[in-house]
Structure formats: structure tokens, C-alpha cells
Amino acid sequence: MKIETVKIGNVNIISYTEDGDRKILQSEEPASPEFKESFENLALDMKIALANQLNVATALRDAFLEAHRMVATKVHFKYGEGEETPESYEVWGHHYISETNYDTDVHFKFKFGEENSPDKAALEVKAAGEAYAKGERAMGNLFKEEGK
């Protein structure tokens, strides 16, 4: 099974390929705590990666992390030809800075293994998507199969 896209929101969506067939699962039911947590961890890791990329001094890091709010809403994994492990991923979401009017949608692209990439958290989102697609959660019937 190759997880391609995992999205959380009013409609949670997982698209994947299995045995050559593309499948899309979606649900309007609230996401499980584990599913939500995987996206929250990704958002936190993205915020830390941003602080690292901007070389925020250690003394200012806590204030930076407090002032910046990141929300991850969708992750898309890209695979090389014939590969079972993704080589890169893209994350969509939202970025706010408190006490400012900065409020924007964001779209980040990462290659696995790049410096400051939130790889571990992205793989947690992928694992949460796989678990739902396999029906391994208590809410296994949460998703409706929409098509191939």
C-alpha cells in the first residue's frame, strides 16, 4: 500500500494505491485522537524547522515557538518509479504570528533526509493514514470508499 495523500479537516481524506488500484477514503466524522495528534506533531516539527532555518537564537526560541502557530492540514507523499518508500513530501497548512496581522496559507516541500525536515512527524501522518486505510482503528468503518 502506497499512501499518497492524508488530509484532516471537515472531510478527512486518505488516498492510496494498492495492487495498482487508486483508492480514496473520506469521512465527515471527527478524526481519532491519534490521527489528530499526528498532524499536531507535524505542525510543531514544522515550526521548529522554521526556527532552525531562520537561525533563531536559543534565548529567543521559546518566544518564537510561542508566537508562531502552525497548522498542518494535508500531506502528499511522492514516490520514485517502482519505489515503496516515499522520497519526498509536501505539507499544506496555515501559519499565524500572534500580535500581528500575519496569517497565511503555507505549502512546504521536503525531501526525506534534508536538514530541518520534519521527516519523523511526516512518517507518523503516513502511518496514521495507513492504519485507517487498513481498518486497524476502533473507528475502522469511519471512511467511505469513494472510488478507485
Side-chain angles (χ1 to χ4, degrees), residues 95-106:
H95 181 202
Y96 315 86
I97 302 175
S98 63
E99 299 183 28
T100 72
N101 62 355
Y102 185 82
D103 181 354
T104 189
D105 291 330
V106 291

Side-chain angles (χ1 to χ4, degrees), residues 26-47:
Q26 61 182 8
S27 172
E28 294 177 4
E29 296 294 323
S32 74
E34 298 89 353
F35 195 77
K36 283 182 177 178
E37 185 177 341
S38 69
F39 277 91
E40 290 166 359
N41 290 340
L42 178 58
L44 176 60
D45 282 5
M46 288 170 50
K47 200 163 50 166

